[in-house]
Amino acid sequence: MLKMAGNKSYTIVEYFGGDSGYRCGYCKNDEGNFSHGMWSHTMTVQDYQDLIDRGWRRSGKYVYKPKLNKTCCPQYTIRCHAPKFQPSKSHKKVLKKMSKFISNGELPKEQDGGQPMDSVCDEARPREPSSVCPSEVKRAAITDIQKELPECPAITEVQKEVADVAPADSKTSRKAPESVADERTTAAGPKPGMGADPGRPACRKARDLRKERRLQKEQIRQHADGDSSIVCPTPPTPALTKQPKPLEDFISGSMPDNSSHCLEVRLVRSSPPSPQFKASFDASYQVYKLYQMAIHKDPPDKPSESQFRRFLCDSPLEAEHSPDGPEVGYGSFHQQYWLDGRIVAVGVIDILPACVSSVYLYYHPDFASLSLGSYSALREIAFTRQLQKQSPKLSYYYLGFYIHSCPKMRYKGQYRPSDLLCPETFAWVPIEQCVLQLENTRYARFNQDPDAGDARVLKDVGRALVLYRRAVMPYAAYSRKGKGSSDELEVQQYADLVGQDCAEKILLYRA
C-alpha cells in the first residue's frame, strides 16, 4: 500500500468501464449482465466500506458494480441489522438440525442444501481478472476479464411460516349439535362445569398459573393480620410477555456437552495470510475443490489452486487495527468450520468499520443436508453481534446482493430487519417497502423522496486523485500536463460511480 507523509495509506485502482454484456448466472442470458469493474492493487477498509455503500462488491481483487438499470437481473446491495435480528422458524429449524446432528451424530436424510449464501451460487459475479499484469488486463475486452459463471444449483424454496395450531381434542370432536352454540361464547369466559378448572381462562401455560397461585397465596398471608374469614382475591395478573430466545442461545445449543461430534469455528486471517491460515490452506482448498465439482459440476482441473487463491484468498484489503475497533482487527478472513478435527465448511468474510461482509461460502458435499449456507449466515450474524459489543458502529451484516427477479435468490430478504440500497440516492430503505416496488418492476428507485439525490454526487472531476509516475496529484494537475484530454470521459464516469468523497481519497492509476 502506498504511504505518503504522515503515514497516510492510499487505495490504488485501475478502472475498466463495463460496456460489454456477459452471461447471467440467474436467467442464463448470454449477454444480459452488465457491470462496471476496477482492479484494486490495494485498498483501505474504510474505502471499501464506502464503495459497498455505493453498490460495489469485490471478487478477489476485482471490484465490480452492476448496472442495475441495464442488467437483466438487477442485484441490490442488502444489509441486515445484526443486533435486532431474530431467527425465523426456518432459521430455528436449521439450528436445531445442526444441534441434533452434533448430539446424536446422524446426518439428516433429506439432501436439501438449504439457503446458499452469496457466492454459493457465485452471485452471477463477473469473471475474475487473470493473473496477468493489470495494465494488460485493462487493454483486454471486458469478456476476457471476467471468469465464466458456474451454473447455480437448485435452491429449495423456504417454507412459509405458519402459526401454531392446537390439535383438536378427540373427546370434543363428536359434540352434540347444541354444544356448538356454547363454543361461540367461550371467548367471553369459561362456562361453569367445563374444563379442569372453570375458574381460570383457557389456553394458559402451567408455569403462568403456578406464578399466579404463588402470588395469591402471598397476598393471603399479607392479609392474615386482618379478617382472615374474608379473602379478597385479586384479579388474575396478565401473563408476562415472553421474551424471544436470542440467536446465541440456539447456536450454543448446537454444541452440547457429551455430544457425538465436536464443532469448532476458527477465524483465521487470509490476507496477509496468518500462520494458522497457511497451516490449513491445503485442507481448505480440498474442500473447495470438492464443493465446486459436486455443486457447480466443475471438471477436476477447473478449481485449480491458483484459481482458489485469486478468487478467495487474495484480497486488496490491508490488515488494519484501531483502538476503538474489534480485537481481531479489520480486513479479510476465513471462518473455518472444524468438525471432529477436519474442515467441513469455510465462510469467506471481510470485517469492515461498519459491517461484516459475506464474500463466499463453500462446504464439503457430504454435509449438504445440514443446510450449511443458512447455518453459516446465522453464525456470521452472531459473530457480527459479538464484534458490535467491541466496536459499537460495527452493527451490520452485508449479505451481498439481493436479486428479486430471481425467485430462488430472494431468501436473503428473510434475514430481517434488513435494508436495500437505493441505486440512485444510495440511501438505505427497509426491504418491506422495496419488495412492493420490485413486484411491479425489476429496476426501482427505493427512495420515495422525489427531491432526494446522491449526497456524494461528483461536483468537480478535477479534484479526483490520480497516481501518475508514482506521484499523487489531482486530475486537474494531471490534465495540465497534457495527459488528460484523451481519458476525461473515462475519469468522469469512474468518479461518478465512486462518488466525490471516494474520488478524492482513492488513487486512480494512470499509465
Side-chain angles (χ1 to χ4, degrees), residues 145-167:
I145 297 171
Q146 301 158 337
K147 178 178 177 293
E148 187 62 35
L149 289 166
E151 295 291 324
C152 294
I155 300 172
T156 305
E157 288 289 343
V158 179
Q159 298 178 347
K160 295 181 179 179
E161 294 185 17
V162 294
D164 292 330
V165 179

Side-chain angles (χ1 to χ4, degrees), residues 125-404:
R125 60 186 177 87
R127 295 177 232 163
E128 64 183 19
S130 63
S131 58
V132 300
C133 176
S135 59
E136 297 176 11
V137 173
K138 185 176 180 180
R139 290 193 292 270
I142 189 68
T143 53
D144 294 328
I145 297 171
Q146 301 158 337
K147 178 178 177 293
E148 187 62 35
L149 289 166
E151 295 291 324
C152 294
I155 300 172
T156 305
E157 288 289 343
V158 179
Q159 298 178 347
K160 295 181 179 179
E161 294 185 17
V162 294
D164 292 330
V165 179
D169 188 342
S170 59
K171 294 182 180 180
T172 59
S173 60
R174 296 183 298 274
K175 293 182 179 180
E178 59 270 16
S179 66
V180 176
D182 295 335
E183 283 186 320
R184 297 172 184 166
T185 64
T186 57
K191 184 173 180 177
M194 294 178 60
D197 190 344
R200 295 192 179 94
C203 300
R204 297 286 300 279
K205 291 188 176 181
R207 64 179 180 182
D208 293 333
L209 297 176
R210 289 194 296 270
K211 290 180 181 178
E212 186 177 303
R213 286 196 294 269
R214 285 198 299 269
L215 179 61
Q216 289 178 345
K217 290 179 180 179
E218 180 64 26
Q219 291 173 336
I220 291 173
R221 284 196 295 270
Q222 292 175 357
H223 285 83
D225 294 338
D227 186 359
S228 59
S229 63
I230 302 176
V231 177
C232 299
T234 58
T237 56
L240 297 176
T241 303
K242 184 180 180 181
Q243 294 297 321
K245 189 176 181 180
L247 174 63
E248 288 77 7
D249 286 359
F250 286 100
I251 291 177
S252 62
S254 65
M255 293 180 285
D257 296 331
N258 303 319
S259 58
S260 299
H261 294 293
C262 176
L263 178 66
E264 180 186 1
V265 180
R266 301 177 188 174
L267 182 73
V268 296
R269 185 179 288 277
S270 56
S271 180
S274 66
Q276 296 83 359
F277 177 83
K278 293 178 180 179
S280 58
F281 176 85
D282 187 65
S284 182
Y285 164 63
Q286 294 302 327
V287 174
Y288 170 77
K289 187 173 182 178
L290 291 172
Y291 171 82
Q292 291 295 120
M293 291 190 295
I295 305 301
H296 293 306
K297 312 304 178 186
D298 283 358
D301 59 335
K302 187 175 181 180
S304 64
E305 182 177 315
S306 60
Q307 187 267 347
F308 172 65
R309 286 185 183 275
R310 291 195 309 272
F311 176 33
L312 295 178
C313 303
D314 292 347
S315 169
L317 302 182
E318 295 293 326
E320 297 181 31
H321 287 81
S322 171
D324 57 350
E327 294 178 4
V328 296
Y330 301 111
S332 297
F333 297 81
H334 282 196
Q335 271 196 327
Q336 302 173 338
Y337 293 76
W338 290 76
L339 181 69
D340 301 332
R342 67 164 175 156
I343 297 177
V344 296
V346 176
V348 182
I349 62 173
D350 293 328
I351 301 178
L352 305 176
C355 73
V356 170
S357 175
S358 173
V359 178
Y360 200 82
L361 183 279
Y362 59 94
Y363 54 82
H364 196 295
D366 288 352
F367 300 93
S369 61
L370 287 174
S371 305
L372 291 173
S374 297
Y375 181 76
S376 66
L378 296 168
R379 290 294 299 247
E380 287 169 9
I381 291 175
F383 180 59
T384 305
R385 290 154 67 114
Q386 175 186 338
L387 296 182
Q388 197 263 345
K389 295 178 181 179
Q390 305 169 13
S391 181
K393 68 176 183 178
L394 200 165
S395 59
Y396 294 100
Y397 175 60
Y398 283 50
L399 296 91
F401 291 133
Y402 172 82
I403 306 96
H404 191 81

